[in-house]
Amino acid sequence: MINKIKNKIHQDGIKSSINWILCGVRHRIKHLIGKIKKDNSLGNRKLRKRKGIHKKNTNKIYIFACVPYFDIGGGQRSSQLAKTFNRLGYRVYYYYANFTSESKIYNLSIPTVEHRPVKKIKPKKFATDITKDDLCIVEMPSPKFIPFIKIAHQKGSSIVYENIDNWETSLGKKFFSKDILKEILQKCNFVTTTAQPLTLQTQKYFRKFKIKNKQILYSPNAVNDELFDKNKEYDLPVDMIKGKKNFIYYGSLWGEWFDWNLVVAIAQSDSNCIINLIGDSTGIVERKKSLPPNIRFLGLKKQDELPAYLYHSDIALLPFKVDEIGKFVSPLKVFEYIAMNKIVISSYLPDIVNYPNIYFGNTELEWAKLSTEQLLSDVSLCDSFVNKNNWYTRCIDILETVYKNKIEDVTKKYKQRISIIVKCKSIENNMLCIERLLEYRERYGYNLFIKCEISTVKTTKIENDRYEFLNEENFHHLREYVLILNETQIPLHKYWLDNYLKIFDNFEVDCIGNDGTFSNELVPVEYYDEKIDDLNNEGLFCKTKYIKRLSEFNENISILIRQQNGKIAFSPYLGVKNKP
């Protein structure tokens, strides 16, 4: 530890190192308090189980990450994968190699069963817990992960190595070893790469290490489009001062790949503009003194705070050097920029050249010129891009590659036996929900009904082939199971209904919903809760036999089911988002 502190002082100076040490002390105190609270809650968790809370029985996903979940405010790839796999209903275990070096640590809600430094994990316990059906995702070629990779390989578990950076640069100088990388590549089932140059690099490694017939899945970063939603309105953050034109960047500010000259060129081209930089700046104290006054540092933010800053900005920046680090990067932030329909000025990074609404330049003159021009964005391109590049898409690609046809089993019993009813005031305001339901219909084979108060659209044969308007005459067309949505609930991915079907298939319930009056907030290890008062109709899935007539859709259906001795339950794992 003494040597680590000495190295930190040598690299970042005394002031930054003191902040880093204090930050670590604060975190350890918080961790101790959290552990005490966790220990105290174990009895309550057992009590909740007796009262009707059921744990997940899904496969486990182990994420071996570089840094903790809360690093960079919880915004990095490993955190997004953890969050999304949890939302997909999996049990997620998050083990990290290195502690954060940031001066500020947020106390985030972490959506995992376990979140610990890998050095605290006992290999024998890991060997007892992991099974052949589980999945390990390895984010970096750290020697700390090797004992667990060996165990997973011996158990027949699936192993995915994620090539996310060019570790042969300064990024990997403290740990990178080709021998370690070779062992991971030999034992993994396949490799994901976040940028096309990393795909070429991986192919080169395969040839060098004489590894044959191993799949490479191109899996760039993505966006949490539930959080970064351009259709929402956001209040102006209190620390954000606006200028004539407003630029924004968030992320690492200390890296050698960050091109400060490009940012300064924009600031100097227009003294009335404001450039807001979000991130930990404790390591660049001396540099800050020499920068123009219209470059403002707002500090580190939680990920869920970032959309507001983007919303009130005109142009987002990506000032990376096109070097042996920058050429291999898939900037996660650019997906979030695009999702918020922001114009982006970027260096010419190979992996993003065809992304929408980005203007490229590598020189200070080009950036200064772009910053003063009237740049345009195309909203339609933004919507299409986000739909193909969200974290559900990335996680599902990994799952489908790992489990192949096994992931399909849950729907066999229910295919062609489900009806979906969308309640809305007007069909014209409901098209996004309907289009997504039609897009994802093939997997479940459901028929679709619209129950709306007003419609100025004439019913055509094409529309009738896609959906029906629910009324007394076709009420008997409802199938054995029914799911009710309202117009603001938008399916997020093609497996959006799987968790409800898994619960129906494995547990004795007659009705399940994702909103209602209940007494317990589920933790990530828990699947559903029977100890509830009632459920809202929107987001409710049940057996149709409990609904006797059309008018009952205007009553609380969960209460009607309970009155008929049916069992109701709450689960948050329906794959829909609420649009504003």
Side-chain angles (χ1 to χ4, degrees):
M1 187 64 188
I2 299 295
N3 289 333
K4 191 173 182 180
I5 293 172
K6 286 180 179 178
N7 290 335
K8 183 73 176 175
I9 293 172
H10 178 72
Q11 290 178 7
D12 300 330
I14 293 176
K15 185 175 180 181
S16 176
S17 300
I18 291 173
N19 287 335
W20 174 73
I21 293 169
L22 291 174
C23 175
V25 171
R26 286 196 301 269
H27 174 76
R28 281 161 177 77
I29 292 172
K30 285 182 180 179
H31 177 74
L32 180 60
I33 294 171
K35 186 177 180 182
I36 293 169
K37 288 181 178 179
K38 183 177 179 182
D39 291 341
N40 288 339
S41 70
L42 291 177
N44 291 332
R45 192 170 296 178
K46 291 177 182 177
L47 179 64
R48 289 193 293 184
K49 182 177 179 181
R50 289 197 299 269
K51 288 186 175 180
I53 291 181
H54 295 259
K55 290 186 177 181
K56 293 178 183 176
N57 60 351
T58 52
N59 296 343
K60 299 187 291 293
I61 293 179
Y62 295 90
I63 295 178
F64 291 88
C66 180
V67 292
Y69 180 94
F70 48 74
D71 197 75
I72 323 177
Q76 77 274 16
R77 180 181 177 95
S78 54
S79 299
Q80 301 310 304
L81 292 178
K83 183 187 300 181
T84 308
F85 280 124
N86 176 66
R87 286 278 283 128
L88 286 167
Y90 290 86
R91 291 174 287 172
V92 181
Y93 296 74
Y94 189 109
Y95 303 143
Y96 54 91
N98 307 304
F99 190 63
T100 183
S101 61
E102 292 175 335
S103 61
K104 185 175 184 179
I105 297 175
Y106 285 102
N107 186 20
L108 303 179
S109 175
I110 299 177
T112 63
V113 177
E114 195 169 33
H115 175 263
R116 303 180 70 189
V118 72
K119 65 182 180 181
K120 298 286 188 181
I121 306 303
K122 296 180 179 179
K124 286 186 178 180
K125 177 69 163 56
F126 180 77
T128 302
D129 293 342
I130 194 168
T131 72
K132 64 180 179 60
D133 295 321
D134 296 332
L135 167 63
C136 294
I137 298 175
V138 183
E139 186 181 60
M140 62 185 291
S142 171
K144 298 176 183 179
F145 296 154
I146 290 298
F148 305 95
I149 292 171
K150 287 180 178 179
I151 292 169
H153 186 257
Q154 291 167 359
K155 290 278 189 171
S157 308
S158 297
I159 302 170
V160 177
Y161 172 64
E162 292 222 297
N163 193 1
I164 63 171
D165 274 311
N166 183 10
W167 298 115
E168 294 191 44
T169 64
S170 60
L171 293 174
K173 68 180 180 181
K174 291 184 179 180
F175 66 88
F176 181 72
S177 159
K178 288 190 176 179
D179 290 336
I180 295 294
L181 176 63
K182 179 181 178 180
E183 184 167 5
I184 294 174
L185 290 177
Q186 287 174 333
K187 287 182 167 56
C188 73
N189 296 73
F190 67 92
V191 177
T192 62
T193 58
T194 55
Q196 292 292 4
L198 291 171
T199 301
L200 298 176
Q201 183 192 65
T202 304
Q203 291 169 343
K204 178 182 174 183
Y205 288 143
F206 284 170
R207 291 191 295 271
K208 180 180 178 65
F209 301 142
K210 297 180 181 180
I211 297 172
K212 297 181 179 179
N213 303 320
K214 194 149 289 191
Q215 182 178 351
I216 299 175
L217 174 67
Y218 175 56
S219 178
N221 283 316
V223 62
N224 176 357
D225 58 339
E226 296 174 87
L227 178 61
F228 291 87
D229 189 339
K230 63 180 174 52
N231 296 311
K232 293 181 182 177
E233 294 185 0
Y234 301 84
D235 294 333
L236 179 69
V238 294
D239 61 346
M240 185 176 181
I241 298 174
K242 300 185 72 172
K244 182 180 178 182
K245 186 180 282 190
N246 301 281
F247 299 85
I248 188 171
Y249 166 88
Y250 56 78
S252 298
L253 297 169
W254 47 265
E256 64 188 69
W257 60 87
F258 193 94
D259 196 333
W260 284 100
N261 292 335
L262 298 179
V263 178
V264 171
I266 291 180
Q268 292 178 339
S269 68
D270 182 2
S271 60
N272 293 316
C273 78
I274 294 288
I275 302 175
N276 287 300
L277 303 181
I278 293 175
D280 189 353
S281 62
T282 55
I284 55 167
V285 175
E286 292 303 315
R287 181 182 292 278
K288 287 167 65 174
K289 295 176 182 178
S290 63
L291 296 174
N294 54 341
I295 296 178
R296 303 188 70 252
F297 292 85
L298 305 186
L300 187 66
K301 306 295 178 186
K302 292 184 291 186
Q303 192 198 25
D304 61 11
E305 295 176 306
L306 298 177
Y309 290 91
L310 279 172
Y311 181 81
H312 289 282
S313 299
D314 302 305
I315 296 176
L317 303 177
L318 204 55
F320 287 1
K321 295 177 183 176
V322 188
D323 56 14
E324 289 306 301
I325 294 177
K327 284 191 299 186
F328 289 81
V329 74
S330 170
L332 194 153
K333 61 185 66 62
V334 77
F335 296 89
E336 297 165 350
Y337 291 169
I338 295 170
M340 293 295 290
N341 196 34
K342 293 293 118 177
I343 294 166
V344 182
I345 297 177
S346 174
S347 314
Y348 195 88
L349 303 174
D351 215 59
I352 66 171
V353 291
N354 294 317
Y355 290 4
N357 302 335
I358 303 182
Y359 293 83
F360 294 97
N362 279 345
T363 68
E364 297 164 45
L365 183 62
E366 288 172 326
W367 271 54
K369 183 180 178 183
L370 285 170
S371 70
T372 58
E373 290 179 349
Q374 191 68 32
L375 306 178
L376 302 175
S377 66
D378 188 327
V379 179
S380 62
L381 292 177
C382 162
D383 291 338
S384 173
F385 179 85
V386 169
N387 197 30
K388 295 175 183 176
N389 291 279
N390 59 54
W391 285 112
Y392 288 104
T393 301
R394 299 291 183 261
C395 290
I396 287 169
D397 285 345
I398 292 173
L399 292 171
E400 288 183 336
T401 306
V402 170
Y403 296 114
K404 296 183 171 62
N405 295 330
K406 291 181 181 179
I407 204 168
E408 298 293 331
D409 291 343
V410 70
T411 64
K412 290 181 179 179
K413 180 178 176 181
Y414 299 93
K415 197 150 188 175
Q416 307 295 334
R417 297 170 67 188
I418 301 171
S419 293
I420 293 184
I421 300 171
V422 180
K423 296 175 65 177
C424 60
K425 292 182 179 179
S426 169
I427 188 70
E428 292 81 5
N429 296 327
N430 195 35
M431 293 313 297
L432 178 58
C433 176
I434 293 171
E435 293 301 327
R436 288 287 180 88
L437 286 168
L438 293 170
E439 180 182 352
Y440 301 138
R441 179 158 64 178
E442 181 180 356
R443 176 168 175 77
Y444 305 105
Y446 45 70
N447 61 353
L448 181 58
F449 292 88
I450 311 300
K451 187 176 184 298
C452 66
E453 300 173 8
I454 306 169
S455 177
T456 59
V457 178
K458 295 181 179 179
T459 305
T460 66
K461 186 177 186 301
I462 295 176
E463 288 169 345
N464 284 332
D465 288 342
R466 303 167 77 207
Y467 53 81
E468 298 180 60
F469 288 93
L470 186 63
N471 53 44
E472 294 286 356
E473 295 178 3
N474 60 15
F475 177 71
H476 65 280
H477 291 174
L478 293 177
R479 296 174 179 173
E480 186 176 349
Y481 301 92
V482 64
L483 172 70
I484 305 169
L485 299 175
N486 67 33
E487 58 191 345
T488 66
Q489 294 177 299
I490 313 298
L492 286 164
H493 51 83
K494 66 180 179 180
Y495 297 104
W496 67 282
L497 193 47
D498 273 34
N499 281 304
Y500 274 18
L501 301 186
K502 287 176 184 176
I503 292 171
F504 258 70
D505 206 34
N506 291 286
F507 303 97
E508 294 181 2
V509 295
D510 301 290
C511 168
I512 191 164
N514 69 343
D515 192 19
T517 306
F518 49 93
S519 56
N520 295 304
E521 182 179 349
L522 298 188
V523 298
V525 74
E526 296 165 344
Y527 214 4
Y528 76 93
D529 181 8
E530 297 172 5
K531 186 71 176 179
I532 54 174
D533 296 326
D534 61 73
L535 298 164
N536 292 339
N537 284 357
E538 291 75 16
L540 182 142
F541 181 74
C542 68
K543 296 177 180 178
T544 310
K545 68 178 183 179
Y546 290 106
I547 305 171
K548 309 299 183 185
R549 54 188 180 275
L550 183 64
S551 61
E552 290 184 347
F553 284 107
N554 297 321
E555 302 178 39
N556 188 302
I557 292 174
S558 68
I559 293 177
L560 293 176
I561 292 173
R562 179 166 277 166
Q563 288 171 350
Q564 299 173 65
N565 297 317
K567 184 182 290 186
I568 71 172
F570 161 78
S571 176
Y573 295 107
L574 179 65
V576 298
K577 73 171 182 178
N578 291 309
K579 74 173 184 178

